[in-house]
Amino acid sequence: MKRFMIFLLLFQAVVFGCTTGKDTVKEETPQVPPDEFLLPEKYNVRFIGYDDWIDLPENDRRCYYRVFIDKADEGRTTTGLESQEKYFETNLEPNRHLIMVEKWVLDESEGKYYKLNNIDQPRPNFVYFDLPGDRVVIITMVTGKDLEATFSIDLARK
Amino acid sequence: MSQRMIKIPSAPAILALLIFQSLFVNCVCSVKKDSEVEPNNVFSAANPLNVGNPMVGFIDSREDRDFYILSVEEPCISDISVSGIKGVNHSLSLWRGGVSPALLKTADDNRKSSPERLKNLYLESGEYYIAVQHGDRDQKNENRETPYTLTCETRVPVAEEFEPNDSLLAANRIQLNTETSGFFSPAYNRLNLEKENLYREEDWFGFSVARETDDPVILTVDVSGVPGVNSELYLLNSGGEVIASSDNGSSGMPEAINNAGIAQDGDYFIMLTGKGYGSNNDEPYVLRLATGAYDRSNEFEVNDSFDRANVIHENSIRGRIDSPNDRDCLLYTPVQGGYHRIEVMPAGLVDLRAVVHDSTGNMLTELNYAGAGEPEIFADYYIGAPIYLTVFSPEALQGVDMAYSCAITPLSSSSAFEKENNNSKENATPLPQGEMLGYISYKGDRDFYIMESPRKMMKELVITGVKGGEIKVSVTDPLGYTLKSVLVRGDSRETIREMIEGRGFIVVDPVKENYDHPYRLQAGGAK
């Protein structure tokens, strides 16, 4: 019994170990059996970004995020309104990775997208995450009215 | 030896001798002047007028009319003039004689105190009446002190106009490949009562065309410049319809109708006139009518409408813009549908324009991007059916070489070609995998291409720029908004990698135009 309790405590310590990043990052412990996780096919990392505070069309600009992984330009999300989910997918090696984003917004009068000034970028605009093997990591960035961004990291489930 | 005495004549004898000599010399050296004998106010009382003998007369009342009768033995060209009378506006008229004299010509060009003249009147054998009377231009005044002098000179006609030749029916017959001289005289034809051209003096010439083959006869008609006269030149068919005209020059400048193609046998006419009643009694014009061999590589007039368009043989044709109103319609039929390079090149500093129409007359495109002296080029125009190309120059200038050449050349390449007009998203050329050639077809040309994929995927686009030019290539989102742009200088190579979300556009904008060389787009999936 005593050994069992010690093992349980150790197990909990491993599972509920130190967290990384700022307080805005929420990392959930998978409480489901391993065969419930989605196995990687075309991608093993998916980034989703959107704003959650927009309620008027005039505030909802067409945009996308340019995605940098490990400080390398890996491409961009899909385009869409700020209030819409915009996706980016890629395949990475299992490791710890850094994802940074830049928000680009459409200037309709010019007919082209331009990068927002640094002071108008979401804060923070980056998060570190661990990519285990045989898992699909979903990183969601939700930006509020004050440009404060909240990152959540999940493993994709079936 | 005896001395001979020389007897010196007496003074009276000497005086008589001098007087006799004076009279003798005077009679021999001066022309004998006849004097009118009144009344000569009607034909039947006309005074005889002798050729070469001046006639002196007076307009001695407000109703005075002086008739003179001239007898002509041999056909001749006459020059009849009457000197000015101080304070009197008079006119000069010629009548054909007979039981009912017919008025042939009248000169009342000038105001009072001025002379009048009738040039190049053709007189056949017979009698003619000449009348000196008041004109219509001023109040009728008499002058019993100042006489007029009426003179009639004649000569044998040589290659010249025969007045009166004031209408199509009275046209002088001339031969092809000849020169004819004439005068813009008088200024007014008082017998021309046409509302549109009241009193306009016209010289008409007629000739016949009989072709030896089915090819058209190519005519060139030109008239020399005459000081003080701004001439107009017309070529007409037997129905009086204007085939071609020339009114390019200013006063004193020549006029010419070049390369007029006559495709039907028959009678044709040339009409000359001076604008604004210009005249010159002293300086003749020279009218030349020449034929040239039909050359399929040259345009010929009149080709100012689609039904008269000249066919472009062997991909090229030469032409001339004769005036700001000249339109050269050219018909091109492709051997097979495909992309063609259209070039219209001026020989001189003329600003040409060209418009392309389809066979039903719908305008397809216009070439008007280059300046004066520069060629108009459409580097890669798709021609799948016969087209009309109309060349003109609204700013055609006097003294500028207006010749041009036009070439429509099929393009051959193993690569795909852009399809103009692809200057908007709606008309974007599909960009498949592989190589696509495109041209800066005209100044400011924008080329849109569309890339499509069933799902979003990364695409790689390799761009080879325009040799001697510069382009900006942009990739857009599905709505056509620019995501990324790259500048490509000369024929250097640049690569763009971008995600296409189902579809995206590639837009090529010219930064520095070069119409001779293409750019290349090579699209593929990104690695």
Side-chain angles (χ1 to χ4, degrees), chain B residues 274-325:
Chain B
K275 285 171 79 167
Y277 307 107
S279 70
N280 190 319
N281 290 319
D282 299 312
E283 190 82 25
Y285 60 74
V286 177
L287 174 69
R288 277 184 285 259
L289 174 61
T291 59
Y294 173 56
D295 181 354
R296 292 195 328 169
S297 64
N298 276 325
E299 60 111 5
F300 63 88
E301 300 289 346
V302 171
N303 57 355
D304 56 358
S305 60
F306 297 143
D307 59 333
R308 292 171 167 175
N310 297 156
V311 175
I312 298 177
H313 297 281
E314 297 177 356
N315 302 330
S316 68
I317 194 167
R318 289 187 299 271
R320 286 183 62 83
I321 300 299
D322 292 320
S323 73
N325 298 321

Side-chain angles (χ1 to χ4, degrees), chain B residues 37-48 66-69 129:
Chain B
V37 176
E38 291 281 6
N40 58 347
N41 298 341
V42 293
F43 291 110
S44 57
N47 295 163
D66 295 339
F67 280 86
Y68 302 90
I69 185 168
Y129 293 100

Side-chain angles (χ1 to χ4, degrees), chain B residues 9-200:
Chain B
S10 64
I14 292 172
L15 185 61
L17 183 64
L18 285 171
I19 291 170
F20 174 76
Q21 279 181 339
S22 170
L23 284 173
F24 178 77
V25 167
N26 198 39
C27 287
V28 167
C29 294
S30 68
V31 176
K32 177 173 178 282
K33 286 189 179 180
D34 297 327
S35 297
E36 71 159 321
V37 176
E38 291 281 6
N40 58 347
N41 298 341
V42 293
F43 291 110
S44 57
N47 295 163
L49 178 68
N50 297 313
V51 171
N53 281 3
M55 173 71 72
V56 175
F58 289 85
I59 298 293
D60 54 14
S61 73
R62 291 185 183 171
E63 295 77 31
D64 192 14
R65 300 199 305 169
D66 295 339
F67 280 86
Y68 302 90
I69 185 168
L70 182 71
S71 294
V72 177
E73 292 182 2
E74 297 288 334
C76 60
I77 288 287
S78 68
D79 182 354
I80 305 171
S81 61
V82 62
S83 62
I85 308 168
K86 188 176 177 183
V88 175
N89 168 226
H90 59 314
S91 67
L92 182 61
S93 303
L94 178 74
W95 302 72
R96 182 182 292 115
V99 176
S100 300
L103 179 61
L104 297 176
K105 200 81 177 178
T106 287
D108 186 14
D109 292 348
N110 301 312
R111 306 297 295 271
K112 60 186 178 183
S113 311
S114 301
E116 297 289 351
R117 193 168 179 180
L118 288 169
K119 287 278 298 190
N120 266 61
L121 286 163
Y122 179 68
L123 305 180
E124 294 175 325
S125 303
E127 289 182 335
Y128 292 85
Y129 293 100
I130 297 169
V132 179
Q133 59 195 52
H134 287 285
D136 294 329
R137 307 201 67 187
D138 284 301
Q139 187 179 353
K140 292 181 181 179
N141 292 326
E142 63 195 43
N143 189 326
R144 298 181 185 188
E145 296 175 358
T146 307
Y148 61 79
T149 303
L150 173 67
T151 308
C152 176
E153 302 289 349
T154 62
R155 55 183 168 77
V156 175
V158 179
E160 56 194 308
E161 65 156 337
F162 293 171
E163 286 282 3
N165 58 346
D166 302 330
S167 66
L168 185 149
L169 294 175
N172 298 157
R173 301 299 299 179
I174 59 175
Q175 301 297 318
L176 295 175
N177 298 307
T178 59
E179 276 189 15
T180 304
S181 65
F183 288 86
F184 290 106
S185 174
Y188 297 85
N189 177 7
R190 297 290 172 177
L191 302 182
N192 183 0
L193 301 177
E194 265 189 55
K195 261 187 188 176
E196 206 174 312
N197 297 300
L198 188 64
Y199 300 152
R200 186 169 79 173

Side-chain angles (χ1 to χ4, degrees), chain A residues 2 10 36 54 61 92 124:
Chain A
K2 186 178 178 182
L10 285 172
E36 290 295 318
I54 296 170
R61 299 168 293 185
L92 299 174

